[in-house]
Amino acid sequence: MTVAQETATPSRIDWTLLARQVGGLVRLELRRLLLTRRAVILGVASAIPVGIVLLVGSIPIGGQTVLERFGNRIVYETIFETVFLGAILFFGCLYVFFNLFRGEILERSLHYLLLTPLRREVVVAAKYAAAVAAVAVLFMASTVFSYMLIYLPVGFSGAVEDLTAGPGGRHLVAYLGVTLLACIGYGSLFTLVGMVFRNPIIPAGALYVWEMLHFLLPPALKKLSVIHYLKGLLPVPLSDGPFAVVVEPPPPAVSVLGLLAFAAVVLAATALIIRRMEIRYTED
Amino acid sequence: MSDGRNIVIRDVSKFYGDVLGVNRVDLEIEPGITSLVGPNGSGKSTLMNLLAGLLRPTRGEISVLGLPVTRPQDLFRRFGYCTQYDSFPRGATGWQFVFSYLLLHGLDRGEAERLTARALERVGLVDSAHRRIAGYSKGMRQRIKLAQAIAHGPQVMVLDEPLNGLDPMVRAETIELFRQLAGEGQHVLISSHILHEVDLLSDRVILISNGYIVAEGEVPGMRAEVEEVREQPLQVFVRCDRPQWLAGRAFELDHVTEVQLHDDGGGLHLRTRDADRFLRLVAELVAEGGVEVEAVGPADSDLQAVYRYLVDEEEEPS
């Protein structure tokens, strides 16, 4: 019998207390994310798709706007897939989630969290949940605003009709779902990367290349990319070009559950690392 | 065997690769003020980080009040740690710093506010509470860390060099705070390399050097308990009217090894292997009227002396 076992009594979980503790940590993290310079950078990034859609929807070229000439759904899908999903969500999540723990390690303030009466796994889950909430709110707002701008050529009544009676509402929900799942999937991945690597450039660069060139990968390897599942959920299919290895997208349920399971596994790995982690800032 | 009231460290070693942090540490620390004293790099912070679970022992086990240090959800309700790190969450004010971490204990806002106010008052930072910590002086940063460590009313407080950077007035107030906390039956474990301070405030002292515990015990009794020290000559001072004459008489004794006259000509220091016999001699000489003695006593039975004997001269702290 160990010293501790001689006298320690197993503690029962007080769920109400735990909920208050997690609430406190989520609020602390949200304040750190939304009331600092980080939020300004994310806000600017999330405004980029809105600006692009505004440009292509309001500036006429040869008498027609781009939205009118190529069709608003195709144009929006292209912007969403290439700019938003292909860059802003990826790098926005990298910026926030890589620094979720690494930022506090570099700031030498992580020990304050680890000296609170919270299991380290709970700390990981609560910080991650707060970051997903913060990033998702910003990026989903960006999705809604940018999507609404595709109705510039048809006006308010046309927008209401498409959103309620046409496919517009379903498409918007799909884009919001993809945005949320991207935050969840990339968020978990970059949280883990932040725990393992001190510098994000090499791992993030490798991941970015992998994600962006996924269409060239053989079918088996495609399944190892986050974007493969996200693209399967997009409402308007676009061609990946003549060199793409074409495979049937996974069913939506597989994409959603697969990404959630992926995030859970990656977070579990992160929790395992932080559980064994020692605070020795001099090494960082 | 621990009854769950003490801090128990059993055969604990910590290696950083090939580098020794601490080795084969066996301690049982009771409530009261205990000081961990040693030069820089001796293993004080390593031992404290092990106690807080921020480091994992390579070997051995640790429990605090019967709780394993691997169970933060239980341990940190009763444990407060003021680390050596002079760093804080970016942009936080003193109030936010203490308050926000109190919320992580599951307290409601009202209770957290009350405890924050009390902690800030105890460390004398009420007036600066709503200023950003980044603008605090070194002493204020030290005190806000202390406030955060004690705010939740822990039974065990581990404080790594808590007096660093404090001005004399605040230092005295902080020492008084430690005494109050210890008087309430709490464990206060303090690390320091400023010996004369811990000598005055501690109930017990643990001396650490090169990762090894070289002595532990109550300060007044430590010298007698440490055999290695007992074999060393004791330094005695005498303030008198005829120091040169007394020096000559002292040199007639075989146990006196060294005599040094004071610069002002009003006394002397000497080293003796038998202080009792020397003091008897002084008493006889006074009785005979040979010398008038103003004061006499051991000059190095304090912690500094014990430390000097136990730790290499080159490592000697300030």
Side-chain angles (χ1 to χ4, degrees), chain A:
Chain A
M1 185 168 281
T2 67
V3 178
Q5 285 168 337
E6 287 165 14
T7 47
T9 51
S11 57
R12 287 177 52 225
I13 296 175
D14 180 339
W15 292 104
T16 312
L17 179 69
L18 183 62
R20 280 207 302 267
Q21 290 179 273
V22 170
L25 179 50
V26 168
R27 277 195 298 276
L28 180 68
E29 196 61 33
L30 282 175
R31 198 168 59 229
R32 215 166 69 89
L33 290 168
L34 296 176
L35 300 180
T36 58
R37 193 184 52 178
R38 205 166 291 182
V40 176
I41 293 169
L42 282 177
V44 169
S46 63
I48 291 173
V50 179
I52 292 173
V53 179
L54 189 63
L55 279 176
V56 299
S58 60
I59 299 174
I61 302 169
Q64 274 187 315
T65 64
V66 174
L67 281 179
E68 287 166 336
R69 179 176 292 182
F70 297 102
N72 57 3
R73 293 198 206 290
I74 296 289
V75 171
Y76 187 78
E77 175 74 26
T78 306
I79 293 170
F80 187 89
E81 205 175 306
T82 55
V83 177
F84 199 51
L85 192 55
I88 290 170
L89 275 170
F90 184 92
F91 289 107
C93 287
L94 173 65
Y95 180 56
V96 170
F97 289 92
F98 182 84
N99 286 309
L100 205 56
F101 286 95
R102 179 59 52 186
E104 290 198 56
I105 292 170
L106 293 175
E107 208 174 72
R108 297 184 169 214
S109 62
L110 182 61
H111 62 279
Y112 292 116
L113 271 186
L114 303 187
L115 295 173
T116 58
L118 278 166
R119 293 172 68 99
R120 291 187 177 186
E121 299 89 326
V122 176
V123 171
V124 171
K127 276 174 77 74
Y128 171 76
V132 166
V135 172
V137 162
L138 277 172
F139 288 147
M140 287 169 86
S142 169
T143 302
V144 170
F145 283 125
S146 57
Y147 191 79
M148 289 302 155
L149 291 175
I150 68 170
Y151 292 113
L152 280 174
V154 296
F156 181 73
S157 58
V160 172
E161 191 185 335
D162 188 52
L163 286 168
T164 54
R170 191 164 42 81
H171 284 197
L172 177 59
V173 169
Y175 286 122
L176 288 173
V178 170
T179 305
L180 179 60
L181 284 171
C183 295
I184 290 171
Y186 285 132
S188 62
L189 193 56
F190 292 134
T191 304
L192 177 63
V193 169
M195 289 302 301
V196 176
F197 296 93
R198 292 175 197 177
N199 188 324
I201 291 174
I202 291 172
L207 280 171
Y208 190 65
V209 169
W210 180 265
E211 290 288 285
M212 292 307 107
L213 298 181
H214 79 287
F215 62 90
L216 298 174
L217 297 172
L221 291 180
K222 275 185 199 294
K223 291 176 184 170
L224 298 178
S225 67
V226 172
I227 204 161
H228 173 67
Y229 298 96
L230 293 174
K231 276 191 169 180
L233 294 168
L234 290 172
V236 181
L238 291 180
S239 166
D240 280 326
F243 302 110
V245 178
V246 180
V247 293
E248 212 33 47
V254 171
S255 290
V256 173
L257 293 176
L259 281 168
L260 293 177
F262 168 78
V265 169
V266 174
L267 277 184
T270 308
L272 199 64
I273 290 172
I274 201 164
R275 192 175 165 77
R276 294 176 177 180
M277 181 184 184
E278 294 190 332
I279 294 291
R280 281 190 271 164
Y281 293 131
T282 46
E283 293 189 346
D284 294 288

